[in-house]
Amino acid sequence: MTTLTTHRTSDIAQPPGTPTRDARPSGSARRFFHYAVQSILIQLRDWAFLGFVIVMPTTIYLFFSSMYGDEGGGSGINVAAVMMVTMATYGGLGAAMNAGSQIQSERSSGWFRQLMLTSLAPGQFVLAKILTAIAVLIPAIGTVFLAGAARGVRLDAGTWAASLGLIVTALLPMIVFGLVIALWFKPQTATAVTTLAMLALAMLGGLWVPLQLMPEVMQTIGKLLPSYWASQIGAWPLVGGDFPWQGVIVLVVWLAVLVGVGALGYRRAIRTSRR
Amino acid sequence: MDAITLTGLTKTYGALTAVDALDLTVPAGQIMALLGPNGAGKSTTTEMVLGLTKPDAGTVEVFGADPVSAMRRGDVGAMLQNGVLLWDVPVRRLLTLMHGLYAHPLSLDDVIDRADLTPILKSNTNKLSGGQAQRVRFALAMMADPGLLILDEPTVGMDVDARRAFWATMDTLTAEGRTVVFATHYLDEADEFADRIVVLNDGRIVADGTGSQIKAVVGGRRIGFTGPARDYAGLPGVAAQEQRGARIVLTSTDSDATLRALLADDAVRDVEVSAPSLEDAFVSLVS
């Protein structure tokens, strides 16, 4: 029995034929990749979530564009096309901010503890959730684009791609926003706070009603919000003119503040967590 | 090599000392039961062995490494008490997700077969019965092909058949030379399945031995019979006397001597001698 046991233990520390030490780095990368892909697949079969970030923006877009979309803008820009970018930004915003509450809910349910009983590291878990958010951004934006194409928006391939890429990039700080909310709020409230923040950003950032139609105070507020600039930067390939560098500055400031607040929240979470 | 070495292990939550300077060594290949009332420190101890909780003082070594490294290496598998499953996914997808996260897992088919999951592969995790969910948790615990299995109350929620099937599967797992540490409230299970029983109370070890040694700590035998109601305390070895319905039960430190004296009385009938159950041992140890 003892001989068998000792043999068994050495087997596990050093599986025959695969020196553990050499296999570890690539093994760790393989496990991370597996987890990220599986998380994305699981997220993509969550119909309620997909309805929230894909069906709702697409429906609102189809509704509004059928009401106003045929009017050409003064500068000859198709209103339906700009509205499409705005609604795509709205859908992307929901997808981006969701990563935090995903992490939060898996932590509070206890599933995270189960994951920590595997060879996956905590940092890999968080990174995979961020990748999942980015992966969901693309269908969230893409579906509104498809609806736009169906409504008769005609752009060349380069413009479609540039707009998609710019919206995704401009929404990356909003992933951090979701993480920050998850770090600072209790699990029961984090999801609600995330939704409220998302709706406030969408409304005040002119994603539902154009900022130009709002009172001046609201316009000033809106121009300080990342949601407004994400849609402006995303629309730039369509409307042309000067690149909205002012928006880049606003986004960078938001990102810096969010990272700072997030770092404080992380230290606080480490200090107060029992495990 | 030892599977687990705990040295001066201590964990406090505010004023409560959950684990109090615990020293414990579990040799590889041993099957050890951890017994104790709620709040004895069983779960806190297992969480520290798993690297989920950091000790305030003392050290944990698992196969000579720190718990987190041992876990990353795939040397440890565990079933947590009230462990949850990812919500609202089919069992098959959950297993696939987890299978890719271990360093040297058992094959998925092998795990499904051993945990008897074939009938529920398509079921959603939120539609499983308690026993089915427990089988999935068990599958996750053995998936790593670990040298050490830690099971916190593994058969909670299982019916008698499921429990029997569980321990039969455990038999095949331990026959492969794995070390098993399990916490349980089913004391008969501990007695039947474990090589060694460690009894915890208030974060300290109050007894450590085989099932029969634990019983010996309490000492003595119980002698039950029907006979005239009188004081038997004068008989040799008798430590206590109890009336249970029509029967009288004596606790004796020397059952042979007590019996010789007792059977001299012709009115004494239906004599039954028994060792105290582990339950009795447990109660007198922690009180």
Side-chain angles (χ1 to χ4, degrees):
Chain A
M1 185 67 190
T2 314
T3 323
L4 175 70
T5 303
T6 315
H7 174 69
R8 179 69 203 169
T9 309
S10 63
D11 259 8
I12 281 161
Q14 206 87 30
T18 43
T20 314
R21 220 163 289 275
D22 294 349
R24 204 169 307 157
S26 66
S28 171
R30 177 185 57 76
R31 289 193 293 272
F32 168 69
F33 183 71
H34 171 86
Y35 181 67
V37 168
Q38 290 292 323
S39 296
I40 290 167
L41 291 177
I42 287 172
Q43 178 80 87
L44 289 180
R45 59 179 294 286
D46 181 347
W47 297 109
F49 172 70
L50 292 184
F52 189 63
V53 302
I54 292 180
V55 179
M56 205 161 89
T58 310
T59 311
I60 298 176
Y61 165 68
L62 289 173
F63 179 70
F64 280 117
S65 70
S66 66
M67 282 170 67
Y68 311 111
D70 296 332
E71 302 164 20
S75 54
I77 303 155
N78 190 332
V79 173
V82 174
M83 194 180 282
M84 174 189 81
V85 170
T86 313
M87 270 304 145
T89 309
Y90 167 59
L93 184 66
M97 290 185 70
N98 182 59
S101 50
Q102 283 283 317
I103 291 173
Q104 176 73 289
S105 80
E106 290 191 15
R107 276 190 60 119
S108 66
S109 76
W111 176 245
F112 176 73
R113 273 157 62 87
Q114 188 69 49
L115 284 173
M116 288 304 101
L117 300 180
T118 69
S119 300
L120 192 75
Q124 292 181 317
F125 167 74
V126 173
L127 200 56
K129 291 296 173 192
I130 292 173
L131 286 182
T132 306
I134 295 173
V136 181
L137 268 176
I138 293 168
I141 296 167
T143 312
V144 182
F145 277 15
L146 282 177
R151 288 276 313 146
V153 174
R154 292 289 172 264
L155 303 168
D156 57 60
T159 311
W160 284 115
S163 181
L164 177 78
L166 283 171
I167 298 174
V168 170
T169 312
L171 284 174
L172 292 182
M174 296 299 96
I175 296 178
V176 183
F177 198 1
L179 296 177
V180 169
I181 291 173
L183 278 168
W184 280 96
F185 289 89
K186 290 198 188 86
Q188 306 90 300
T189 44
T191 310
V193 172
T194 304
T195 308
L196 283 177
M198 200 269 293
L199 294 179
L201 282 173
M203 204 160 20
L204 300 174
L207 299 186
W208 289 349
V209 178
L211 222 51
Q212 300 90 292
L213 302 182
M214 295 186 192
E216 196 153 342
V217 186
M218 302 297 280
Q219 291 195 28
T220 313
I221 295 173
K223 285 178 182 171
L224 294 173
L225 295 180
S227 44
Y228 171 73
W229 288 110
S231 70
Q232 293 300 302
I233 291 172
W236 176 72
L238 284 67
V239 299
D242 291 338
F243 186 79
W245 288 108
Q246 193 195 341
V248 176
I249 294 167
V250 171
L251 289 176
V252 169
V253 170
W254 270 82
L255 183 61
V257 171
L258 287 170
V259 167
V261 176
L264 285 177
Y266 184 72
R267 280 169 59 182
R268 171 176 162 275
I270 295 278
R271 217 172 38 242
T272 55
S273 80
R274 284 183 12 171
R275 51 182 65 101
Chain B
M1 188 194 262
D2 291 324
I4 302 175
T5 311
L6 308 180
T7 317
L9 195 67
T10 303
K11 182 71 189 179
T12 55
Y13 293 122
L16 173 79
T17 303
V19 176
D20 192 359
L22 202 65
D23 293 314
L24 180 67
T25 302
V26 184
Q30 190 169 69
I31 297 162
M32 195 194 90
L34 211 47
L35 286 187
N38 287 329
K42 304 188 300 288
S43 289
T44 308
T45 304
T46 55
E47 280 169 8
M48 286 192 282
V49 172
L50 295 171
L52 292 174
T53 300
K54 273 207 174 111
D56 292 329
T59 57
V60 181
E61 273 186 29
V62 178
F63 293 119
D66 70 280
V68 173
S69 306
M71 187 64 78
R72 295 279 149 76
R73 224 158 55 186
D75 288 354
V76 188
M79 251 171 112
L80 297 172
Q81 197 180 353
N82 307 320
V84 298
L85 300 173
L86 188 60
W87 197 242
D88 196 22
V89 293
V91 170
R92 157 78 76 180
R93 179 154 285 286
L94 178 76
L95 295 175
T96 309
L97 167 74
M98 296 305 274
H99 191 255
L101 303 184
Y102 296 99
H104 49 79
L106 290 172
S107 87
L108 203 47
D109 290 340
D110 193 10
V111 171
I112 290 168
D113 190 44
R114 289 191 197 212
D116 189 22
L117 296 180
T118 313
I120 57 167
L121 283 177
K122 287 181 179 159
S123 308
N124 241 343
T125 49
N126 50 350
K127 300 220 169 80
L128 301 177
S129 72
Q132 289 172 333
Q134 202 69 344
R135 260 153 55 202
V136 175
R137 283 180 209 118
F138 178 48
L140 297 182
M142 70 170 132
M143 201 179 255
D145 191 15
L148 170 64
L149 268 166
I150 296 190
L151 313 164
D152 201 351
E153 311 219 3
T155 57
V156 162
M158 289 186 188
D159 60 25
V160 178
D161 288 343
R163 197 171 292 164
R164 200 170 294 137
F166 174 83
W167 287 115
T169 312
M170 283 304 297
D171 272 330
T172 67
L173 281 171
T174 52
E176 293 162 1
R178 293 172 217 270
T179 313
V180 177
V181 172
F182 68 101
T184 179
H185 278 177
Y186 299 107
L187 305 183
D188 49 335
E189 266 181 6
D191 195 15
E192 198 176 327
F193 191 72
D195 305 333
R196 176 186 177 193
I197 298 174
V198 168
V199 184
L200 281 185
N201 191 43
D202 288 338
R204 295 164 182 270
I205 295 174
V206 292
D208 180 352
T210 62
S212 52
Q213 281 171 336
I214 298 289
K215 290 175 202 165
V217 171
V218 179
R221 294 286 184 271
R222 283 157 188 267
I223 302 166
F225 58 92
T226 46
R230 57 180 170 90
D231 189 4
Y232 292 90
L235 297 179
V238 174
Q241 176 177 351
E242 239 184 301
Q243 187 78 37
R244 287 190 186 168
R247 291 178 72 76
I248 296 162
V249 179
L250 303 178
T251 305
S252 168
T253 52
D254 184 350
S255 54
D256 296 346
T258 310
L259 279 171
R260 277 190 199 101
L262 185 67
L263 291 171
D265 186 344
D266 284 343
V268 170
R269 262 169 280 133
D270 297 332
V271 180
E272 206 175 70
V273 182
S274 60
S277 70
L278 195 51
E279 192 108 28
D280 292 324
F282 181 62
V283 166
S284 51
L285 276 169
V286 299
S287 60

